Amino acid sequence: MKQLRNNVIRAGLEALYFTGAHHLLRPIFAGVGTIFMLHHVRPRRDGKFQPNRHLEVAPEFLRAMLSHLRSRGVDIVTMDELHRRLTERDFSRRFACFTLDDGYRDNRDFALPVMREFEAPFTVYVASDFAQGSGHLWWIALEMVIAGASSIEVELGGVVTRLDTSTPAAKQAAFDRLHDWLRGLPGGDDLKREVCALCTRYGVDEAAICRELCMSWDELKSFADDPLTSIGAHSVTHCNLARQPAEVAGQEMAVSRGRIEDVVQRPVAHLAYPYGDKFAAGRREFALAQAAGFKTAVTTRPGMIFPESAGHLTALPRVSLNGNYQDRRILPVLTSGAATAMWNGFRRIDAA
Ligand SMILES: [Zn+2]
């Protein structure tokens, strides 16, 4: 199913490119700017089973996007500057922001050098438990469990189910099924418990994943000293905030900010909601982020920034640089707003 969806999206992006429709749609749907969303930036890896590949782009693709934006005279700005332009209605020049979620070490090792080539600022949203080395990157744990097993036994809805994981295609199918099942579990702790059980049963050291992939507090401290980097908050535990009681969701925002500020010794004014789709961040979370005093908060809902986004500063959409579509031809499509306009049914604001 995922593969089919990817193919449909790719076909849509290519159609927009080849028909030139993105040129026609640009004046209406390009808005005044774009917030790009990335996760990992690192060289492509070999291997047929890479279910989290959509979360990583190669440094060359990031470089291609930056160079495309520069060639079109787009300003690459900080989230503070985006906030200023939106609130002061300064739309004399188009702008783009680069944001990277979770706090991966490859952001420092591979993204920062590319951003430096263009003197382009960017924001890294840190889940404080990830920096602490105690967070749960369950989607990577799930990938490792499936990568190392030829079949998986798991209780799904009270029925013990055996999933074939002997080939790359079977692994992908099992990953999709378990990923959707885990995201659909009702309680915040259910997901953690089930993934922990899988890791124990299939010999995956879940605790090591976080330390291996994420910047520690020490590393973040020096990373934050670079004039191009800003650190934003991304909750404490990387939970689905919409599934938490309001009090807990508010604490997830405030406590993560406090911990990061203690380390980097700078105000943390910007937030990214974990998962960030409409099932993880809605009206209540937008209000909580505003009440907590964040200047902006970003979702993972696809969309461009329009002048009217100034009225929804804690519900900002982004454009994903998705590892499944690393084709230079789609760069003008992504900056035209045509793709996100299609996804949104040609609505400009989606903040409900
Ligand atoms: Zn995240």
Side-chain angles (χ1 to χ4, degrees), residues 39 101-102 104 125 127 130 139 234 238 273-275:
H39 291 80
D101 289 9
D102 299 337
Y104 297 113
Y125 295 107
F130 291 180
W139 55 96
H234 193 40
H238 203 280
Y273 305 102
Y275 310 109

Side-chain angles (χ1 to χ4, degrees), residues 22 25-27 29-34 36 65 68-69 72 74 94-96 98 304 319 321 330-340:
H22 62 287
L25 294 169
R26 181 180 294 280
F29 291 108
V32 292
T34 315
F36 289 105
M65 178 50 104
H68 172 74
L69 292 169
R72 299 191 71 102
V74 175
R94 287 191 60 76
F95 59 83
F98 281 80
M304 312 298 278
V319 171
L321 287 191
I330 71 162
L331 296 175
V333 178
L334 290 179
T335 56
S336 72
T340 52

Side-chain angles (χ1 to χ4, degrees), residues 155-159 181:
E155 200 179 307
L156 297 173
V159 182
W181 166 65

Side-chain angles (χ1 to χ4, degrees), residues 326-348:
Q326 299 187 58
D327 180 338
R328 281 161 193 260
R329 290 176 315 183
I330 71 162
L331 296 175
V333 178
L334 290 179
T335 56
S336 72
T340 52
M342 283 213 316
W343 278 316
N344 289 328
F346 297 95
R347 267 180 311 168
R348 303 207 320 177

Side-chain angles (χ1 to χ4, degrees), residues 134-291:
S134 59
H136 295 265
L137 287 91
W138 62 269
W139 55 96
I140 297 168
L142 181 64
E143 174 180 346
M144 289 171 74
V145 163
I146 294 174
S150 57
S151 76
I152 304 271
E153 213 175 76
V154 61
E155 200 179 307
L156 297 173
V159 182
V160 177
T161 310
R162 179 172 285 277
L163 300 174
D164 174 29
T165 54
S166 60
T167 64
K171 284 180 194 296
Q172 182 67 53
F175 181 90
D176 292 344
R177 184 159 175 201
L178 293 177
H179 187 277
D180 291 351
W181 166 65
L182 288 163
R183 282 258 358 235
L185 289 173
D189 289 336
D190 296 346
L191 189 158
K192 217 186 283 178
R193 189 190 59 241
E194 295 292 347
V195 172
C196 182
L198 278 170
C199 286
T200 310
R201 215 170 320 138
Y202 293 95
V204 168
D205 181 359
E206 199 190 356
I209 297 173
C210 191
R211 292 193 293 271
E212 192 192 318
L213 293 178
C214 298
M215 284 185 274
S216 67
W217 285 129
D218 271 352
E219 290 171 304
L220 272 173
K221 201 172 157 56
S222 41
F223 180 70
D225 283 338
D226 193 288
L228 292 177
T229 63
S230 308
I231 310 293
H234 193 40
S235 83
V236 176
T237 63
H238 203 280
C239 60
N240 179 333
L241 295 171
R243 289 255 170 93
Q244 309 295 326
E247 195 186 331
V248 176
Q251 275 171 4
E252 282 274 346
M253 296 177 191
V255 172
S256 64
R257 177 174 57 193
R259 288 190 185 156
I260 298 165
E261 285 178 339
D262 281 350
V263 172
V264 305
Q265 295 292 309
R266 284 179 188 77
V268 168
H270 306 278
L271 172 78
Y273 305 102
Y275 310 109
D277 55 31
K278 60 178 193 280
F279 307 106
R283 278 178 198 275
R284 188 194 70 172
E285 290 66 42
F286 303 155
L288 283 170
Q290 197 177 11

